[in-house]
Amino acid sequence: MKVIGFGDNVVDKYVHIDTIYPGGNCVNFAVNAKKLGVDSAYMGVFGNDEAARHIIDTLTEIGIDLSQCVQYPGENGCSEVGLVDGDRVLLGWNDGGVANEKPMVLEKSELDYLGEFQLIHSSCYSKTELELAKLRSLDSLVSFDFSEDEMFRQEDYLKKVCPNIDFALFSGGSSSVDQIKELMMKIVSYGTRYVLATRGTQGTIFFDGETFYEGTAKIVKPIDTMGCGDSFLTAFLIHLLQYGWSKMEQPNEETIREGLKKAADFSAENCFIEGAFGYGKKYTAV
């Protein structure tokens, strides 16, 4: 089995401790899959600054295939994270840096490469929306993270993305159960087969187009919740794949319920790691 993250990479700059951590939804997916024992790769756009070098060096050390990545002169994606009343909060970001200006365009060679993977994961911060339709010709499953931002739940955006993906994830901690289920049914009506909503300590909801499944969170006292949703998503997707999920084969109830539990356990473990998956590096504040 092989999976790939296709899209965003960033460093999370923890300004209160002058430390940068590698991250980004698609990078986190690739790293978590590797931790789960699955061959994984990352395809995306890097800048050529210190942030980019740290991510590239880290992913190379972990053993993530970066052979199809591209690099341009300019600033890498970077978000700033601070500590406010004991909680880590996002202070701002640079819109993805050079990857926002020069997003990856898939040609035949890239599509041939992506066709080697059982699952391709992307996200709303990856600037890949125009490329998703090209993936429909592949046997690979496609998952997509819509995050928690309301702008990615607008009708036009959903109608553009949903027909070209198999699995959708969104963060629903601030929404009621009825609102979440309504959104899930809308996403399925636009062409996506499966939808997962993470809700922090409130647990998760999964919809397979017919049945809603609810999963409980494993409650721990976290060191850092950065990337915990990404770790849940990855563990759940990998579990489904390991039990035969494909475009032709849908997961059964037992597989789904077991996957929700295993993903909760894996996500809880991630809460004891600084950053999305560790590998912090001090930087000189200016």
Side-chain angles (χ1 to χ4, degrees), residues 33 71 101 106 127:
Q71 191 168 17
E101 304 163 13
L106 300 176
K127 299 293 182 182

Side-chain angles (χ1 to χ4, degrees), residues 1-283:
M1 183 195 305
K2 294 170 61 179
V3 299
I4 186 168
F6 167 49
D8 64 322
N9 73 84
V10 301
V11 293
D12 295 309
K13 180 183 288 187
Y14 282 37
V15 297
H16 55 292
I17 55 174
D18 298 334
T19 302
I20 56 175
Y21 293 91
N25 182 269
C26 297
V27 163
N28 295 344
F29 170 79
V31 171
N32 283 315
K34 189 73 172 181
K35 288 170 66 174
L36 288 162
V38 175
D39 286 342
S40 64
Y42 169 71
M43 176 189 284
V45 177
F46 291 109
N48 67 340
D49 56 4
E50 179 185 8
R53 288 192 294 275
H54 182 49
I55 302 172
I56 292 169
D57 289 346
T58 298
L59 296 182
T60 300
E61 179 181 341
I62 293 171
I64 306 297
D65 177 10
L66 303 178
S67 62
Q68 300 299 307
C69 291
V70 295
Q71 191 168 17
Y72 297 113
E75 188 177 44
N76 202 82
C78 176
S79 65
E80 293 191 342
V81 178
L83 195 65
V84 177
D85 296 328
D87 292 325
R88 288 183 174 86
V89 295
L90 181 64
L91 302 176
W93 80 307
N94 66 351
D95 292 323
V98 71
N100 183 53
E101 304 163 13
K102 298 180 179 180
M104 181 166 281
V105 177
L106 300 176
E107 304 293 350
K108 184 180 184 302
S109 60
E110 289 84 11
L111 290 170
D112 288 344
Y113 172 77
L114 288 171
E116 300 173 6
F117 295 87
Q118 280 67 52
L119 185 139
I120 302 163
H121 177 71
S122 195
S123 75
C124 57
Y125 296 115
S126 297
K127 299 293 182 182
T128 56
E129 292 88 354
L130 296 179
E131 306 305 300
L132 294 175
K134 299 176 183 178
L135 303 178
R136 290 289 81 182
S137 64
L138 306 178
D139 291 332
S140 313
L141 291 159
V142 179
S143 58
F144 192 89
D145 193 329
F146 289 87
S147 188
E148 60 185 353
D149 198 320
E150 191 63 32
M151 68 181 289
F152 299 118
R153 302 183 190 184
Q154 301 302 310
E155 295 287 327
D156 289 348
Y157 190 81
L158 293 176
K159 288 179 179 178
K160 177 168 61 176
V161 173
C162 290
N164 298 314
I165 64 174
D166 302 288
F167 188 108
L169 168 82
F170 65 93
S171 301
S174 61
S175 303
S176 69
V177 171
D178 287 343
Q179 289 172 326
I180 289 171
K181 290 183 176 180
E182 180 181 357
L183 177 60
M184 287 178 151
M185 289 187 288
K186 181 184 293 185
I187 288 173
V188 168
S189 75
Y190 291 156
T192 302
R193 179 61 192 272
Y194 305 98
V195 192
L196 174 69
T198 56
R199 307 172 64 224
T201 57
Q202 300 175 78
T204 54
I205 301 175
F206 176 70
F207 184 47
D208 66 359
E210 298 177 358
T211 305
F212 291 98
Y213 300 86
E214 295 192 18
T216 57
K218 183 175 182 179
I219 306 301
V220 297
K221 187 174 181 179
I223 294 174
D224 191 348
T225 58
M226 181 72 74
C228 287
D230 296 343
S231 61
F232 186 100
L233 169 70
T234 308
F236 187 61
L237 288 171
I238 295 302
H239 177 81
L240 297 186
L241 290 170
Q242 288 174 332
Y243 280 82
W245 176 43
S246 68
K247 284 189 175 181
M248 303 299 295
E249 191 73 28
Q250 63 187 62
N252 60 33
E253 178 178 349
E254 181 181 358
T255 296
I256 292 167
R257 294 194 184 281
E258 184 180 0
L260 291 173
K261 183 181 183 304
K262 285 187 175 181
D265 291 341
F266 184 72
S267 179
E269 293 173 8
N270 202 80
C271 293
F272 300 115
I273 300 172
E274 291 276 2
F277 53 87
Y279 293 87
K281 178 183 178 181
K282 288 288 185 178
Y283 69 90

